[in-house]
Amino acid sequence: MRTYLDHAHHLCRLAVIPHAENDYRPHILHPKRTVRYIAAFSVMKIVVLGLVVLLPASIFAAPEAVQMQEQELIRLVNDVRVASGADALTADARLAQSAYTKSADMAARQYFAHTNADGEGPDTFAARAGYPYSVIGENLAMGFVSAHEVVSAWQRSPTHAQNIRDALYEDTGVSVVGGTFHGEPTVFMAQHFGRERHNTTATTAIVLPPTESASAAVADKVEIDTTADESGKKMVALPVVTQPPFAIPEENVRVTTTPEQPTTQSTTLTWTRADNNITEVTAIAHIAGPIVGARAQVHGSDIPLFLRAETTDIYTGTANIDAPPEDIFRVVIPGTLSITSADGNTVEQSIPWASPLVARPSFGMKYAQAKTLLPQTFGPTLRASQFVFAIAFIIFALAWVTNLVIEIRRQHLDLLIPGGALVLLLGIFWLV
């Protein structure tokens, strides 16, 4: 046993430690061996990367990947809410079912918008899932992207950011569903925000002018039933007064009228590639009613809308965005339409894409997703390869550094240069 250990120790010294017996030339740094090592480790890394390339797009909608994405989306959204002063949302199974039904509906019926062809929106899906809401909201995204990229894109969109930060919401549900869009594989994501409706009876005080007739005609406190009906509208039952309890002088009467509010009948965004790094985006909106102005916001760029000639309700606008379509649609989300009415109020709503670009996941995207979203499917292979690269890096780095510092006057550039290249390559393979 002693002889065996001594022999192993001797071989290790010859291989790694420069000294007189190996002429200060560690055997593992021999130029020819170094070239073979570089080739062998490169082949190993290529095999691992090749496995990623061969992964079908559907693997990113596998249960383990979906669960991680959904949990991460809720965590990141809650981080944003807490930072803005709102309470964290509570995960609700009914809203999760609602979001899943919406995502699956978009995948099955090939659309990407807040309402489908039947006019069904998040309110419909939430009601079907058994969630009695008082308020409801929805954020959508599409593409092979991380949860961090999705939440970052939502934060750059006014309407999506408002949903994330809105203090009215208390519950949430998230769904990630794999599918195809116009023949291209993709992932549909939906997050539903809600506040549950509770049936309550409130006691409201009605204060009247101090006249005897008033106190005789109406009690100073009445119970008002504020139970909401199925449509979500509050039904308020007030007492019926057959005779006015007091007279209001005519000079104190002021009649006010509410200005007509604009309504949108249909909106859409279209795009064309104007140049390699420029995308031309056109917004079209049918807006009924008087407005002061309208604009669309896409990828951080404003698109002013103007009334189309010879029409009374069609507003259009076009702008060149300094970004290629691949960047704009890396995370596919609806745009934002802002309408300023005649009374100065501004209303924001989503404006959908008529035909968004569904980009195929690049090799880098697939590799990054595989590392984070597939710990069980791809994780063992990746961890095994990284372990090999880590051990090899430590051994060759030790040989290279000791060769550099021991007997500094006996340097061999034919060992140091290829050996340094090998150590650098192993470090990259280990960390990437």
Side-chain angles (χ1 to χ4, degrees):
M1 185 66 179
R2 176 77 176 176
T3 304
Y4 176 80
L5 292 177
D6 290 342
H7 181 67
H9 178 261
H10 179 68
L11 291 178
C12 287
R13 289 192 71 230
L14 289 175
V16 179
I17 307 299
H19 58 288
E21 191 174 351
N22 59 17
D23 193 26
Y24 300 95
R25 301 170 67 93
H27 290 178
I28 64 172
L29 293 182
H30 191 281
K32 290 184 178 180
R33 291 194 180 99
T34 301
V35 172
R36 289 197 288 267
Y37 296 147
I38 290 176
F41 289 123
S42 297
V43 169
M44 180 184 297
K45 191 65 175 181
I46 290 172
V47 170
V48 173
L49 298 180
L51 293 176
V52 176
V53 174
L54 296 176
L55 287 174
S58 59
I59 195 68
F60 298 104
E64 60 172 321
V66 166
Q67 184 178 15
M68 291 188 64
Q69 281 279 69
E70 292 172 350
Q71 292 174 350
E72 186 70 0
L73 279 171
I74 293 177
R75 186 188 69 81
L76 292 172
V77 165
N78 277 336
D79 287 347
V80 175
R81 286 178 64 86
V82 171
S84 66
D87 292 334
L89 298 170
T90 301
D92 188 280
R94 294 164 298 176
L95 285 181
Q97 178 61 37
S98 172
Y100 171 79
T101 307
K102 174 58 181 285
S103 299
D105 189 61
M106 289 192 296
R109 302 176 67 172
Q110 294 294 281
Y111 72 96
F112 182 71
H114 289 293
T115 56
N116 60 21
D118 297 330
E120 298 172 333
D123 53 340
T124 303
F125 292 102
R128 286 178 182 169
Y131 184 84
Y133 64 89
S134 59
V135 288
I136 197 75
E138 177 180 78
N139 278 358
L140 301 177
M142 182 169 62
F144 289 102
V145 287
S146 66
H148 183 271
E149 290 176 296
V150 171
V151 174
S152 295
W154 282 345
Q155 287 185 264
R156 293 192 296 268
S157 168
T159 51
H160 294 85
Q162 176 60 29
N163 274 343
I164 291 177
R165 294 179 170 86
D166 198 329
L168 288 176
Y169 296 128
E170 296 178 345
D171 307 316
T172 190
V174 177
S175 175
V176 178
V177 173
T180 61
F181 190 75
H182 296 169
E184 293 292 342
T186 190
V187 172
F188 297 86
M189 285 167 269
Q191 180 169 20
H192 283 179
F193 306 83
R195 180 171 185 160
E196 194 166 3
R197 184 182 72 235
H198 301 283
N199 295 335
T200 60
T201 299
T203 300
T204 303
I206 300 178
V207 181
L208 299 175
T211 63
E212 293 183 2
S213 59
S215 61
V218 181
D220 63 347
K221 184 178 287 187
V222 297
E223 285 194 347
I224 299 177
D225 180 15
T226 59
T227 302
D229 68 356
E230 293 181 355
S231 65
K233 299 178 180 178
K234 287 187 176 181
M235 308 299 293
V236 181
L238 291 174
V240 177
V241 179
T242 57
Q243 297 292 333
F246 54 88
I248 301 176
E250 185 175 349
E251 62 271 17
N252 292 338
V253 176
R254 183 177 63 183
V255 178
T256 60
T257 58
T258 302
E260 181 184 358
Q261 297 300 307
T263 59
T264 55
Q265 299 175 345
S266 63
T267 59
T268 188
L269 291 170
T270 60
W271 67 276
T272 57
R273 189 189 297 271
D275 199 352
N276 288 336
N277 295 315
I278 296 177
T279 304
E280 183 181 276
V281 177
T282 299
I284 303 174
H286 292 245
I287 306 173
I291 69 170
V292 175
R295 63 185 178 88
Q297 187 180 79
V298 175
H299 200 65
S301 299
D302 284 334
I303 306 175
L305 304 186
F306 304 96
L307 185 64
R308 180 181 290 177
E310 301 180 356
T311 67
T312 59
D313 63 350
I314 301 178
Y315 293 80
T316 64
T318 300
N320 287 331
I321 298 178
D322 190 18
E326 290 77 12
D327 286 355
I328 294 177
F329 294 108
R330 179 174 174 82
V331 182
V332 183
I333 62 172
T336 300
L337 176 65
S338 299
I339 303 172
T340 303
S341 60
D343 59 0
N345 291 326
T346 299
V347 177
E348 293 182 331
Q349 66 180 67
S350 294
I351 177 170
W353 291 96
S355 182
L357 173 67
V358 181
R360 294 184 178 182
S362 65
F363 169 76
M365 291 170 61
K366 291 182 70 174
Y367 185 67
Q369 294 280 60
K371 290 176 65 177
T372 57
L373 297 181
L374 302 174
Q376 297 177 9
T377 304
F378 183 68
T381 301
L382 181 62
R383 287 192 295 272
S385 65
Q386 288 182 314
F387 177 78
V388 171
F389 292 136
I391 296 299
F393 173 80
I394 293 172
I395 293 174
F396 284 97
L398 175 64
W400 190 84
V401 171
T402 54
N403 188 72
L404 183 66
V405 299
I406 295 177
E407 290 291 337
I408 196 168
R409 290 173 298 177
R410 294 175 176 268
Q411 300 302 317
H412 302 283
L413 293 180
D414 61 327
L415 299 184
L416 290 177
I417 293 177
L422 174 60
V423 171
L424 178 63
L425 188 68
L426 286 171
I428 295 173
F429 287 171
W430 176 23
L431 298 176
V432 176

